[in-house]
Amino acid sequence: MGRHSCCYKQKLRKGLWSPEEDEKLMNHITKHGHGCWSSVPKLAGLQRCSKSCRLRWINYLRPDLKRGAFAQDEEDLIVELHAVLGNRWSQIAAQMPGRTDNEIKNLWNSSLKKKLRQKGIDPNTHKPLTEADRSGAAPTISTERTSGSSDVNPSSAGALGNFGHLLSETAQSSMLLPVYDKKRPETPSLARPKVPAKELFLDQLTAGHESPSSCRSSGPTLYFPFQQQLGYSNECGSGDGANMNSLWFNQNDFSCNTISTVMPTVSPSALSTPMGLNLPPDNHRHGGTGIGSAPFYWDGVNPSSSGSTGSSGSNSMGFEPQSTNSILENSVFPWTDIGVGQEKDTRVQLVEELKWPDLLHGTFAEATTAMQNQSQSLYDDVIKAESQFNMEGICASWFQNQQPQQQLQAASDMYDKDLQRMPLSFEHI
DNA sequence: AAGTAGAGCAACCGCCAAGCT
DNA sequence: GAGCTTGGCGGTTGCTCTACT
């Protein structure tokens, strides 16, 4: 029990992951799948424990992650889900495609709890704060982890307890109309016992919501692209790596999942925006949100060793953050002429959504090509809908291993050496 | 300009449960 | 059935950056 045996081994690296480590892990998993996590570090040539590798993959390298700030809808959904599930972050994350439990947990602890308190709501119970609470008394009830039992947030026990008033009207009405997915396979891999009634509710809750992903784009409905925590995908594959494939891209196999699994969408503008050239906005930094949150060291050096900062440091390409902003602001891109705040917000959002794993997954190269081909229609595309260009196709094709080696090489090159090439691609715009 | 507090985030830690031997 | 391994989860820590004094 307790720590994994691997953790006792010496010489295991800890702390932030370097780009090289990321690349190794990415290379290994894309080639072989993670299979048994315990063997990943060795096979991938990493001085990390298996848990660290797994965590890194799940929270960061997985291609279906979206990043950037949470939309208001997403925050609302988290609050509603938390009211039902308590601190079951993994289950909450399962309802929010592209978001990790860690991400949601961080958001909750750093932001949402405060917001709720400011609204006079106890974040633990989701009930109105008492005077004692308001005066700074200790929190009333802690939503402890629910190891194995079907308990939920104390106040949510039973028929959603007393927090129903916090749920959206849609959600409340939806929960009256549970739809049971009879095809949903029961899987032995589900560690935590399920609560059927709650699950039904959650289906409806999320369905009642605007699709979480659509909070960011008006693309196709996106539900549950990765159901590993619910174990839906496991029956779709077999053998080494199969789980991984089904985990990511079983949208091509709807016979396995009754819920369509769709990759997060990326707008044409997102792809047209110089992927990777969108240096972190000034208010971003190494480890910040969006692309800034990726350990994408613009100077190619881990900041922990270089001491450089994302906001002030230059990079190997000679781009200053401000210069990129200027590029955007100066309307190199046709859509930047749009004098609409919304469009600017969209642009910022897109910048935030970019992340280097996209580059690792070869989307940059494809995006560049697509961008060139579509340059004439980009403006219209952007105006119409962000969702018309879908990552799904890119990623799906890539993960069907049409040309894995080329993709991998491109990703590798892109990541650690050839950032200089980006300006060349830039010129094609 | 320097110091400090707070925010945000990535990663680690410890535990649990399932599976395997 | 016991013991071990492994995957997974939630809580927590520590680092970095920003904002404020």
Side-chain angles (χ1 to χ4, degrees):
Chain A
M1 287 300 202
R3 301 185 82 186
H4 289 200
S5 56
C6 65
C7 299
Y8 292 110
K9 294 177 182 176
Q10 299 299 314
K11 297 183 180 179
L12 292 182
R13 275 176 54 87
K14 293 174 68 176
L16 294 178
W17 281 64
S18 70
E20 290 75 21
E21 287 178 307
D22 280 344
E23 185 182 351
K24 284 181 179 178
L25 182 58
M26 179 71 79
N27 285 349
H28 174 75
I29 293 181
T30 51
K31 283 180 181 176
H32 310 292
H34 59 70
C36 175
W37 279 112
S38 61
S39 64
V40 166
K42 183 179 179 181
L43 295 175
L46 291 166
Q47 302 287 320
R48 295 273 182 175
C49 75
S50 59
K51 293 184 76 171
S52 183
C53 292
R54 175 183 162 273
L55 208 62
R56 183 63 177 173
W57 174 256
I58 289 175
N59 286 335
Y60 208 86
L61 297 176
R62 223 172 52 185
D64 50 10
L65 295 178
K66 68 178 178 182
R67 291 195 172 271
F70 280 76
Q72 186 58 51
D73 265 14
E74 289 179 300
E75 292 188 0
D76 294 343
L77 181 57
I78 291 171
V79 171
E80 293 177 4
L81 290 170
H82 186 272
V84 182
L85 297 169
N87 292 359
R88 291 177 173 177
W89 306 117
S90 62
Q91 292 188 28
I92 293 174
Q95 310 300 323
M96 304 187 68
R99 299 297 188 182
T100 68
D101 54 355
N102 208 32
E103 207 175 4
I104 293 171
K105 181 171 58 183
N106 283 335
L107 178 71
W108 177 263
N109 288 327
S110 66
S111 173
L112 294 183
K113 282 170 77 174
K114 293 175 187 173
K115 287 183 179 180
L116 285 179
R117 284 203 179 94
Q118 288 172 358
K119 292 178 181 178
I121 298 171
D122 187 332
N124 293 319
T125 64
H126 291 263
K127 294 177 182 176
L129 284 169
T130 65
E131 281 305 315
D133 294 330
R134 292 172 190 272
S135 61
T140 53
I141 301 174
S142 174
T143 54
E144 299 299 334
R145 64 181 303 180
T146 54
S147 56
S149 65
S150 61
D151 56 335
V152 294
N153 199 327
S155 61
S156 64
L160 296 177
N162 297 322
F163 52 78
H165 64 285
L166 291 172
L167 301 178
S168 69
E169 191 172 336
T170 304
Q172 292 187 66
S173 60
S174 297
M175 55 188 288
L176 300 176
L177 300 169
V179 176
Y180 182 65
D181 182 357
K182 295 179 179 179
K183 293 181 181 179
R184 181 175 298 173
E186 288 291 330
T187 65
S189 63
L190 183 60
R192 313 273 187 226
K194 286 191 286 191
V195 182
K198 183 172 63 187
E199 196 169 301
L200 295 176
F201 163 73
L202 290 173
D203 284 347
Q204 292 304 310
L205 177 62
T206 52
H209 250 270
E210 183 181 359
S211 166
S213 291
S214 66
C215 299
R216 307 178 65 78
S217 69
S218 56
T221 302
L222 309 176
Y223 289 123
F224 316 113
F226 27 80
Q227 294 290 344
Q228 72 277 29
Q229 282 146 337
L230 297 179
Y232 297 159
S233 64
N234 289 350
E235 294 188 6
C236 301
S238 61
D240 188 24
N243 184 40
M244 177 190 72
N245 290 333
S246 61
L247 178 75
W248 294 349
F249 301 114
N250 54 1
Q251 76 274 19
N252 292 328
D253 187 358
F254 291 99
S255 63
C256 290
N257 289 337
T258 56
I259 300 172
S260 62
T261 51
V262 183
M263 291 296 295
T265 56
V266 168
S267 72
S269 54
L271 294 172
S272 304
T273 313
M275 300 276 277
L277 290 179
N278 281 311
L279 296 168
D282 289 341
N283 62 335
H284 287 183
R285 62 178 195 269
H286 286 298
T289 55
I291 191 167
S293 68
F296 193 97
Y297 309 121
W298 297 100
D299 48 11
V301 177
N302 188 325
S304 62
S305 59
S306 69
S308 66
T309 62
S311 58
S312 60
S314 62
N315 53 76
S316 59
M317 293 182 290
F319 282 96
E320 294 290 335
Q322 185 55 49
S323 65
T324 299
N325 288 341
S326 298
I327 290 171
L328 291 171
E329 295 300 332
N330 292 335
S331 303
V332 168
F333 308 106
W335 56 87
T336 59
D337 279 330
I338 305 168
V340 182
Q342 179 183 356
E343 176 57 28
K344 186 172 181 177
D345 291 343
T346 301
R347 203 171 58 218
V348 171
Q349 186 180 78
L350 292 170
V351 169
E352 291 177 344
E353 285 181 353
L354 296 175
K355 56 183 186 289
W356 85 258
D358 289 338
L359 303 180
L360 271 183
H361 286 284
T363 55
F364 176 79
E366 297 214 36
T368 303
T369 303
M371 171 175 59
Q372 292 168 358
N373 294 337
Q374 298 179 5
S375 59
Q376 293 299 320
S377 58
L378 280 177
Y379 179 85
D380 289 338
D381 289 344
V382 172
I383 299 303
K384 286 177 184 175
E386 294 179 26
S387 60
Q388 292 184 0
F389 193 99
N390 201 316
M391 275 282 287
E392 179 182 4
I394 293 174
C395 295
S397 62
W398 185 69
F399 279 97
Q400 284 167 359
N401 294 321
Q402 299 295 327
Q403 294 177 317
Q405 195 57 46
Q406 292 91 323
Q407 296 283 0
L408 199 59
Q409 186 61 49
S412 174
D413 291 345
M414 181 65 66
Y415 180 56
D416 60 355
K417 295 177 181 176
D418 290 349
L419 289 173
Q420 306 94 305
R421 294 180 185 172
M422 291 182 181
L424 298 177
S425 298
F426 211 165
E427 292 174 358
H428 290 300
I429 300 171

